[in-house]
Amino acid sequence: MFDNLKSDLKSIKERDPAAGSIFEIYFLYPGFKAVRTYRKANWFFKHNMKAIAMFLSQRARRKTGIEIHPGAKIGKGLFIDHGMGVVIGETTEIGDNCTIYQNVTLGGTKTNKGKRHPTLGNNVLVGAGAKVLGSFKVGDDAKIGAGAVVIHEVPKGATFVGIPAREVKKSKNYRK
């Protein structure tokens, strides 16, 4: 638990040029506060205390404007910058060291009980206002541009923009 806390603080300090002290991040950053509360709520969710988990989640949403379902799986070092309007669905999986900007939705397109939300690899960046909708993978080191609507898989290292999102750049490291 403390490893995640330190990793989350460190990731914000490294990636946000406006970040002041660790003290400032801990007490004043809504994205950090939302992720910190998510980690508590996730513990309750995993231990079948779902009402407590949802209570914590909804309380954090009211305080920060960021809604993270306690059933989501989030790796270390998630940085939610600004954060207002961010929605992360129940079956979403987020890898390590990802960055999500304000008004992003990681949402589902189905109403069944199975996997409905996206899986983000490691080091993924999701720009402001982007919507990533459905049960598919966004590969490691991928970038999703602001305002994009992504409805299908994103390869490793690719950059996707537009509505519907399309690939505009492949990383040299991932070409076959």
Side-chain angles (χ1 to χ4, degrees):
M1 189 161 156
F2 289 109
D3 286 341
N4 279 336
L5 182 72
K6 288 193 309 190
S7 181
D8 292 342
L9 285 166
K10 182 181 174 191
S11 74
I12 294 169
K13 184 75 172 154
E14 289 173 353
R15 285 186 262 160
D16 186 0
S21 67
I22 294 295
F23 177 86
E24 178 184 327
I25 295 166
Y26 188 90
F27 288 104
L28 300 176
Y29 273 52
F32 176 75
K33 195 175 289 190
V35 172
R36 196 173 73 222
T37 303
Y38 153 79
R39 295 203 189 284
K40 293 174 196 166
N42 180 257
W43 185 90
F44 285 106
F45 192 84
K46 287 178 179 176
H47 290 85
N48 209 28
M49 293 182 257
K50 295 183 179 174
I52 296 170
M54 291 304 292
F55 172 79
L56 290 171
S57 172
Q58 291 304 301
R59 185 169 179 256
R61 181 176 76 88
R62 283 190 306 277
K63 288 180 168 266
T64 66
I66 300 167
E67 182 173 347
I68 305 173
H69 194 285
K73 295 177 185 168
I74 297 177
K76 293 180 182 178
L78 174 62
F79 175 31
I80 301 175
D81 197 5
H82 298 285
M84 183 60 75
V86 168
V87 177
I88 299 173
E90 178 182 12
T91 62
T92 300
E93 297 176 39
I94 300 174
D96 295 338
N97 302 311
C98 291
T99 301
I100 297 174
Y101 288 95
Q102 68 273 12
N103 204 31
V104 165
T105 300
L106 303 177
T109 56
K110 301 175 189 169
T111 57
N112 62 339
K113 283 276 190 197
K115 176 86 167 124
R116 309 179 301 282
H117 301 89
T119 298
L120 273 56
N122 297 323
N123 307 305
V124 171
L125 184 141
V126 185
K131 309 302 177 211
V132 185
L133 305 173
S135 177
F136 55 84
K137 176 116 167 101
V138 176
D140 293 348
D141 303 305
K143 292 183 176 102
I144 297 171
V149 177
V150 183
I151 54 175
H152 54 82
E153 192 159 321
V154 176
K156 289 180 181 182
T159 300
F160 270 54
V161 300
I163 304 172
R166 64 197 180 290
E167 188 172 8
V168 293
K169 179 182 172 196
K170 288 185 182 181
S171 171
K172 294 176 187 172
N173 298 334
Y174 295 107
R175 288 205 176 146
K176 292 183 179 181

